[in-house]
Amino acid sequence: IFASTIFISWKKQNLISFYIVLLRGGYYLAITTYKHMKFLCMSLAFASVIAPGQTFAFIKTSNANIGKYPTVSERYLSSAHYAQTNQNEYSKHGSRFDKVKSFESRLGNIEKLAPSTLANFYEPHLKSFSVKPGDVEQLSITSTCYALLTLLSSSDSSLYEEIAIMDTSFHPVTDNPFNKISVRAIVLEILNSEWRDDDLFQVPLLLYTVLEVDKERKLFGANTMDEMLSSRVRQLVESVLKARPRRRTGSNQPLSEYIQFLCCRTFATLYGSSTPPSDPGINDDFRVSSEFESSVGGISPEILPSGTASQLSLALTRCAEISMNELCRQLAYRSAGDVTSFDIMKLAYSLLSYVTASASLSCTAGRELIRGKGPDPGTRVPTANRQLIKAALAAFFEEQNVDGLWNKGQPIYKSFRRSGRNVGNAFVFATDTLGCLLQMLPHEDFRPHMDALQKTLCWIELHMMVEIIPDYCDPDSGQCYGKPLRGWASPHLTPDSGPQAWSTAQVLTCVSNMRTTVRALIHTDVLTEFKGISLSSYGAKLAAWDRLLDTDLAASENCGKFRTLKEVLEARMIEPFNSNMPSIVPAYSCILFGPPGTAKTTICEALAERMGWDFVVIDTAAFLADGLSNVAGRINYVFERLQALEKTIILFDEIEEFCLDRETPGLGMESRMLTTAMLTAINDLRRAKRSIFFLATNRLRAFDSAITRPGRFDMQLFVGTPNLEARCIQFRQKLAAISLSIESKAKSEHTYKSFLESVWTEDAMFMNYLEGMQFASGCVNILSSGLELTNESMAALLESQAVVMTVKGSVRDEYVASMSLSRL
């Protein structure tokens, strides 16, 4: 495969062997055995002379630490990828990002096919998904449930919109002109179908599925369910509650670990969607409120069996206890080398049950055994042991087979009521196991196991099969035609079984969960690389947004009559992104322009906190990290990573030098090319629609017109000084610190506001935040000295303030002119 080979050898302290080989496709591979970084760098420098502009990959076979020479490595190897063969890990952001991004792209290619793949298993006349369409005219509860869960699995909520309507309030007869799959119709069909309440594989799977699909309880409300449907749901809840683990049976539980997990997951879903009673008063006894019974799972109280709340709490407690014991037992068997007793599926599903139950009870203080005595100390479930979880997950991946899957382990049913049940579909498909682990555990737990995940992906890619399902035969020629059925089959089935709905759904769910995990890890890496702030883990916080002082978007003779900056951001960003069906088209990009010191960075960070998104600032230094000669390449590097961020507020702070107007006389070719590169990068980031980004500048007129035109930036907002209402808030905050009667404070506030209104367009509106605070402090000092606040005293203060004001002269003229440039 080599087109050429260059060998170089010279001696200094020890022998250096250096090879450059030209690989197929024009890529160069450099191999060196020399352990000193300086000469390794010199080798690359020599290689870059031989083949300028090429990308080199280094495989260094010695044990030397590349990181010992950061200055040299940045100087000589800023564009190279390193790998140490003895450690099998990447030491630069670039190579690690490229590898993981490629992994994510492969997952994305499969997920793009998911809607059409899944839709082929749907049979409209049965209102369900069939194991294999056309084989049996019977509703398959298992296949339908797994297919519905697949529709919910993707992080991209729009992925399945082309084939399905997920809204359970949607009427399938009158509101479905495009004949899409109606989730509401499917749920009603499977609830009314024939199923046995003693089949503890189907029962928890069915109940969990309908609870997940109908999260807003549009079907399970008191006014939306008839008596028959209510009876069916009550039957499901009763059957699942009876299946809780029993302490007295110890390790000999009647149900397999897999079914125990299905039940535990259903308990957790019911418990997690319950509304706890209001906090008891100070003098109230501890008690279980009867109101809690009616709010379990968000289900109407008439449907629930008696005592559901207490049984649910006990069931989760037992799940946590029994599953932890089994998990420790399996780890002990494995550590002891007892291959007869160790079972990989027992380990995996006891881990899942332990994590699920512990997470559900993490905010509880235990159970009350004697009314009025409070929680019994022995009933409190301890926090999940993170070291145990990581050890179990590591053991699970270490047991992975070469092909990327795992041994079939314990069957789904421990015993079978009739013969013929102990076949391939009676064993767990490993993709279902992995998919559940990816869903239930933190994304970071999988960072050490990326290679194992890729092995599973390889199996998925290699084992997709296509079968032609006949639907028409030509009577003359006898030739039959049909539609292709694409999907997967469990390896526990016979080789000629062909793709099946339940196994295909499990694979697609696994792929979606795996892609969500990989994207989350990429997001964390990029955020860390650019020193971003992770705010999403804290959820939406209103405090910083409420403290933010507002500003008007246009000049006004009558203050406060124009739209404000916060009002526009709330309407175009906060509300649309917090709503499933926004009435206004959301804005993904915005230019913030205005004089220095107007808190443009603070505005973006406060918005991130308000929305519960992460926040990152990209400044000039990010584009100059590889030197002036590599800015164009660095633009591609930075934006490629920013496109991988999700739900992040990105602020480009003062990067005018890379977006200069190309029509400016005397502007060099390099600057023009940088502007062109930046235009393309910004456009790609906007089209990705995964984050919101702002461009903050003090010099809007310096930008190229292609930057400021509609399309690349949805809005262009002037960020000025605090408006009149904000000035009054500043004064009120200062006034609260002094001792003054309520009447006197109210009179002073009125006087203060009236004065500012009278001189607003002269000087008052041009005070920045700090100058406004100084003016408010001066007015409060007058009051604290026992004097009355008058227009004359405030005019004197303002006059002295105006002498040192930032916005004055030509800056003021520019300020006034800029206020009219806002574009909403």
Side-chain angles (χ1 to χ4, degrees):
I1 65 172
F2 305 125
S4 65
T5 301
I6 301 172
F7 171 75
I8 302 168
S9 178
W10 71 91
K11 197 165 186 178
K12 181 176 178 179
Q13 297 177 345
N14 62 344
L15 181 66
I16 301 171
S17 298
F18 179 59
Y19 302 86
I20 301 179
V21 292
L22 176 63
L23 303 181
R24 184 178 300 169
Y27 291 94
Y28 286 83
L29 173 67
I31 306 174
T32 179
T33 59
Y34 189 65
K35 67 180 180 180
H36 291 297
M37 185 64 184
K38 180 177 178 181
F39 286 91
L40 183 65
C41 297
M42 290 173 60
S43 301
L44 180 64
F46 177 80
S48 64
V49 173
I50 297 174
Q54 296 296 329
T55 299
F56 287 85
F58 259 89
I59 299 178
K60 186 169 70 66
T61 58
S62 70
N63 293 322
N65 182 6
I66 289 179
K68 288 170 61 179
Y69 302 90
T71 305
V72 178
S73 67
E74 288 299 323
R75 180 179 176 185
Y76 291 101
L77 302 176
S78 58
S79 62
H81 300 319
Y82 314 99
Q84 291 193 41
T85 55
N86 60 310
Q87 294 183 5
N88 192 28
E89 65 180 6
Y90 292 87
S91 58
K92 293 293 287 181
H93 285 295
S95 52
R96 182 171 63 243
F97 176 84
D98 293 338
K99 180 181 179 182
V100 180
K101 187 64 180 174
S102 174
F103 181 21
E104 190 270 338
S105 179
R106 290 164 58 196
L107 291 165
N109 291 335
I110 297 176
E111 198 173 34
K112 287 176 185 177
L113 299 173
S116 59
T117 300
L118 202 61
N120 286 335
F121 290 94
Y122 182 70
E123 299 205 81
H125 64 287
L126 295 176
K127 297 179 182 177
S128 65
F129 293 85
S130 295
V131 177
K132 186 171 291 185
D135 267 11
V136 181
E137 290 295 312
Q138 181 180 352
L139 184 148
S140 171
I141 293 178
T142 302
S143 293
T144 302
C145 286
Y146 280 121
L148 287 176
L149 293 175
T150 300
L151 294 176
L152 301 173
S153 64
S154 177
S155 58
D156 181 4
S157 58
S158 64
L159 178 65
Y160 292 99
E161 285 181 354
E162 62 181 89
I163 66 164
I165 300 172
M166 303 301 298
D167 187 359
T168 52
S169 64
F170 170 84
H171 197 282
V173 177
T174 60
D175 302 332
N176 194 359
F178 300 106
N179 294 320
K180 293 184 178 181
I181 298 171
S182 170
V183 170
R184 175 190 173 95
I186 295 175
V187 169
L188 293 175
E189 191 69 21
I190 60 176
L191 282 174
N192 289 312
S193 64
E194 293 296 325
W195 42 267
R196 302 197 323 269
D197 57 3
D198 62 342
D199 187 340
L200 290 173
F201 166 56
Q202 283 192 350
V203 166
L205 177 62
L206 176 55
L207 181 56
Y208 171 75
T209 300
V210 296
L211 290 173
E212 284 294 295
V213 168
D214 189 33
K215 284 183 178 294
E216 298 180 8
R217 302 297 180 260
K218 294 177 181 178
L219 285 175
F220 293 159
N223 301 322
T224 56
M225 297 186 70
D226 56 29
E227 181 57 36
M228 181 179 178
L229 197 59
S230 299
S231 174
R232 303 290 275 178
V233 173
R234 185 184 303 112
Q235 188 179 356
L236 285 172
V237 175
E238 287 178 344
S239 298
V240 172
L241 288 174
K242 290 177 183 178
R244 68 172 175 83
R246 309 286 172 171
R247 180 184 285 174
R248 62 177 176 270
T249 55
S251 61
N252 296 316
Q253 297 294 319
L255 302 175
S256 67
E257 304 304 320
Y258 177 68
I259 293 180
Q260 286 186 58
F261 165 67
L262 294 182
C263 294
C264 180
R265 184 174 63 174
T266 307
F267 298 148
T269 303
L270 283 167
Y271 196 83
S273 54
S274 303
T275 305
S278 57
D279 294 336
I282 296 176
N283 298 320
D284 291 343
D285 294 329
F286 287 103
R287 61 185 182 277
V288 176
S289 171
S290 60
E291 296 177 358
F292 186 46
E293 193 72 55
S294 65
S295 63
V296 170
I299 301 175
S300 178
E302 292 81 8
I303 301 174
L304 296 170
S306 177
T308 298
S310 59
Q311 291 185 61
L312 198 58
S313 177
L314 177 61
L316 282 169
T317 303
R318 290 291 180 267
C319 281
E321 178 184 333
I322 300 299
S323 60
M324 181 180 178
N325 290 341
E326 183 61 33
L327 178 60
C328 293
R329 188 178 297 112
Q330 290 299 321
L331 287 173
Y333 287 148
R334 183 175 182 273
S335 178
D338 186 352
V339 295
T340 303
S341 301
F342 175 72
D343 188 295
I344 187 61
M345 289 302 156
K346 284 186 177 182
L347 181 141
Y349 285 104
S350 60
L351 170 62
L352 282 165
S353 296
Y354 175 58
V355 170
T356 303
S358 299
S360 296
L361 298 173
S362 60
C363 296
T364 61
R367 296 173 55 248
E368 186 180 52
L369 301 180
I370 302 176
R371 187 177 179 85
K373 296 296 183 179
D376 188 276
T379 62
R380 184 180 182 276
V381 176
T383 305
N385 187 317
R386 291 293 305 153
Q387 293 300 112
L388 179 63
I389 293 171
K390 289 183 178 180
L393 188 63
F396 174 77
F397 281 112
E398 287 168 9
E399 292 295 323
Q400 186 180 35
N401 296 329
V402 177
D403 65 355
L405 296 185
W406 286 260
N407 294 334
K408 61 184 180 181
Q410 184 188 44
I412 294 173
Y413 297 94
K414 279 193 169 182
S415 60
F416 304 97
R417 293 198 168 192
R418 61 181 185 269
S419 62
R421 292 295 297 275
N422 194 9
V423 292
N425 57 4
F427 292 89
V428 178
F429 187 10
T431 58
D432 184 32
T433 311
L434 181 58
C436 291
L437 288 168
L438 289 162
Q439 180 185 5
M440 302 303 301
L441 294 177
H443 302 306
E444 281 296 326
D445 286 359
F446 294 91
R447 189 179 291 280
H449 310 296
M450 294 295 285
D451 289 340
L453 295 180
Q454 292 201 57
K455 285 172 65 176
T456 303
L457 176 59
C458 288
W459 186 93
I460 292 171
E461 291 171 329
L462 291 172
H463 289 79
M464 177 187 285
M465 56 183 69
V466 178
E467 181 179 340
I468 303 300
I469 303 297
D471 57 9
Y472 169 73
C473 291
D474 186 359
D476 296 329
S477 65
Q479 182 66 52
C480 294
Y481 303 91
K483 64 178 182 180
L485 187 68
R486 182 176 55 242
W488 290 264
S490 169
H492 309 319
L493 300 174
T494 57
D496 59 346
S497 59
Q500 301 197 354
W502 62 272
S503 50
T504 298
Q506 289 178 348
V507 168
L508 293 176
T509 299
C510 179
V511 167
S512 291
N513 291 340
M514 196 184 299
R515 191 182 185 204
T516 299
T517 296
V518 172
R519 289 170 76 164
L521 294 177
I522 294 174
H523 175 96
T524 301
D525 288 344
V526 173
L527 204 65
T528 301
E529 181 178 358
F530 294 113
K531 299 179 175 60
I533 303 173
S534 180
L535 301 172
S536 57
S537 57
Y538 303 105
K541 301 291 184 183
L542 303 180
W545 184 255
D546 292 340
R547 289 195 305 268
L548 189 67
L549 297 179
D550 212 349
T551 180
D552 294 326
L553 291 178
S556 173
E557 296 295 333
N558 300 313
C559 307
K561 302 300 181 184
F562 285 83
R563 296 188 73 178
T564 67
L565 179 67
K566 289 176 69 174
E567 179 186 343
V568 170
L569 291 177
E570 285 176 351
R572 294 295 307 280
M573 291 182 175
I574 296 174
E575 293 177 7
F577 284 101
N578 286 341
S579 172
N580 293 329
M581 301 181 65
S583 57
I584 300 177
V585 177
Y588 287 90
S589 56
C590 177
I591 296 177
L592 298 179
F593 66 99
T598 49
K600 291 183 278 291
T601 302
T602 304
I603 290 168
C604 294
E605 187 170 358
L607 178 66
E609 287 191 38
R610 172 66 181 82
M611 297 179 68
W613 288 21
D614 294 332
F615 177 63
V616 63
V617 178
I618 304 297
D619 55 15
T620 306
F623 298 107
L624 296 176
D626 290 342
L628 285 171
S629 60
N630 294 316
V631 172
R634 186 69 183 177
I635 288 174
N636 293 332
Y637 177 95
V638 170
F639 274 89
E640 184 182 13
R641 281 149 181 78
L642 295 181
Q643 287 185 51
L645 293 174
E646 296 184 78
K647 293 189 175 182
T648 303
I649 301 295
I650 304 168
L651 172 62
F652 295 100
D653 192 18
E654 298 186 2
I655 60 169
E656 297 93 336
E657 295 303 321
F658 307 120
C659 308
L660 294 176
D661 188 352
R662 289 170 291 182
E663 301 299 323
T664 302
L667 191 67
M669 180 59 70
E670 290 184 357
S671 294
R672 288 190 174 91
M673 295 303 293
L674 289 180
T675 299
T676 303
M678 188 65 77
L679 286 171
T680 304
I682 289 174
N683 192 51
D684 291 343
L685 183 60
R686 170 63 182 80
R687 288 193 300 174
K689 292 185 178 181
R690 296 174 69 176
S691 295
I692 294 174
F693 61 96
F694 290 85
L695 195 158
T697 180
N698 304 328
R699 299 183 293 144
L700 180 66
R701 300 176 193 275
F703 281 113
D704 191 273
S705 58
I707 290 282
T708 57
R709 71 166 175 81
R712 285 188 174 86
F713 287 93
D714 301 315
M715 297 190 297
Q716 184 173 290
L717 303 178
F718 175 74
V719 183
T721 55
N723 61 15
L724 179 63
E725 182 59 35
R727 306 285 185 190
C728 295
I729 292 173
Q730 287 180 320
F731 179 70
R732 198 176 299 125
Q733 291 172 346
K734 294 291 184 181
L735 196 61
I738 66 173
S739 178
L740 208 63
S741 67
I742 296 176
E743 294 79 8
S744 297
K745 287 184 178 181
K747 180 182 178 182
S748 300
E749 286 182 26
H750 181 267
T751 303
Y752 185 84
K753 183 175 183 179
S754 299
F755 172 75
L756 289 183
E757 286 178 334
S758 65
V759 296
W760 184 251
T761 56
E762 298 173 15
D763 283 315
M765 70 175 290
F766 300 108
M767 292 186 290
N768 63 25
Y769 174 80
L770 291 176
E771 292 164 351
M773 291 296 286
Q774 291 173 357
F775 178 75
S777 296
C779 294
V780 170
N781 289 337
I782 292 175
L783 291 170
S784 62
S785 63
L787 300 176
E788 184 177 354
L789 190 64
T790 63
N791 288 347
E792 290 76 16
S793 59
M794 286 188 287
L797 279 174
L798 184 59
E799 184 179 356
S800 61
Q801 187 84 53
V803 176
V804 294
M805 196 175 291
T806 302
V807 183
K808 61 181 180 178
S810 60
V811 178
R812 181 172 298 187
D813 295 337
E814 177 68 19
Y815 182 99
V816 174
S818 297
M819 292 188 74
S820 62
L821 299 178
S822 289
R823 172 171 52 79
L824 308 184

